[in-house]
Amino acid sequence: SSEPIKQFSVTKPEIIECLKDIKVLGKAELRLLLRWRTVVKKQIQELAELANPATSIEHETQDEANQEQKVVTDVDKEEQIADEIEEQLTAAEKKKRKEKKKTARERVKMQMRRDQGIENDYAVDLSEVNDGPFSL
């Protein structure tokens, strides 16, 4: 099903590998796919303009029409994949922002505790424990 995709010169083996499993890709690979998608989409639009029925030769064969339909179907799939990529990018960025915000809140909270003289609520002062198997 990736044969129409391979016909474009910008489709490198790396792109084909990335398309096999989008869910495991990193941010750089997702951006690579998005750039590739925009180039392919532009090329397909140019091909569609050239194949416009008003300006094209009337002797277009059924095979060529089927090939165009296959390319359009693959473009729809590619758009769906690109949308998924964009969603994953935004979700990753949102998660990163949320983590940063949480870390910043924790830092502020810890700084306030230090300023008030409360270091750590869960820390145990070992100087108070004199007896037991670990006392020196």
Side-chain angles (χ1 to χ4, degrees):
S1 70
S2 65
E3 288 303 316
I5 294 171
K6 290 180 182 178
Q7 77 183 5
F8 296 101
S9 61
V10 292
T11 305
K12 306 288 183 222
E14 180 183 5
I15 297 291
I16 295 169
E17 284 300 313
C18 289
L19 288 173
K20 286 183 181 176
D21 195 5
I22 291 176
K23 292 182 180 181
V24 298
L25 298 180
K27 204 172 197 179
E29 291 88 5
L30 291 174
R31 289 185 186 197
L32 174 73
L33 281 179
L34 284 173
R35 282 192 300 260
W36 168 81
R37 177 188 173 262
T38 56
V39 171
V40 169
K41 192 173 180 181
K42 184 183 275 186
Q43 288 179 358
I44 290 172
Q45 287 175 347
E46 290 171 359
L47 288 173
E49 288 174 4
L50 292 175
N52 189 357
T55 60
S56 68
I57 302 173
E58 292 185 23
H59 300 292
E60 186 173 315
T61 64
Q62 184 64 27
D63 292 337
E64 290 172 349
N66 288 340
Q67 181 68 17
E68 284 181 26
Q69 183 65 28
K70 196 179 235 185
V71 169
V72 170
T73 304
D74 285 340
V75 169
D76 291 340
K77 289 179 185 177
E78 291 304 318
E79 287 179 5
Q80 185 179 14
I81 290 171
D83 291 341
E84 185 178 325
I85 291 170
E86 289 175 18
E87 287 174 9
Q88 287 181 358
L89 277 175
T90 55
E93 289 172 356
K94 185 177 180 180
K95 185 177 180 181
K96 189 175 182 180
R97 282 194 308 267
K98 189 175 182 179
E99 276 298 314
K100 280 185 176 181
K101 209 175 202 181
K102 182 179 178 183
T103 306
R105 271 187 275 146
E106 289 175 358
R107 282 188 196 140
V108 168
K109 195 174 185 179
M110 289 301 292
Q111 186 61 42
M112 287 176 60
R113 285 184 176 176
R114 279 189 216 117
D115 292 345
Q116 293 175 355
I118 305 170
E119 286 294 323
N120 189 348
D121 291 338
Y122 303 107
V124 176
D125 187 12
L126 296 177
S127 64
E128 297 175 4
V129 181
N130 290 332
D131 30 309
F134 299 110
S135 64
L136 297 174

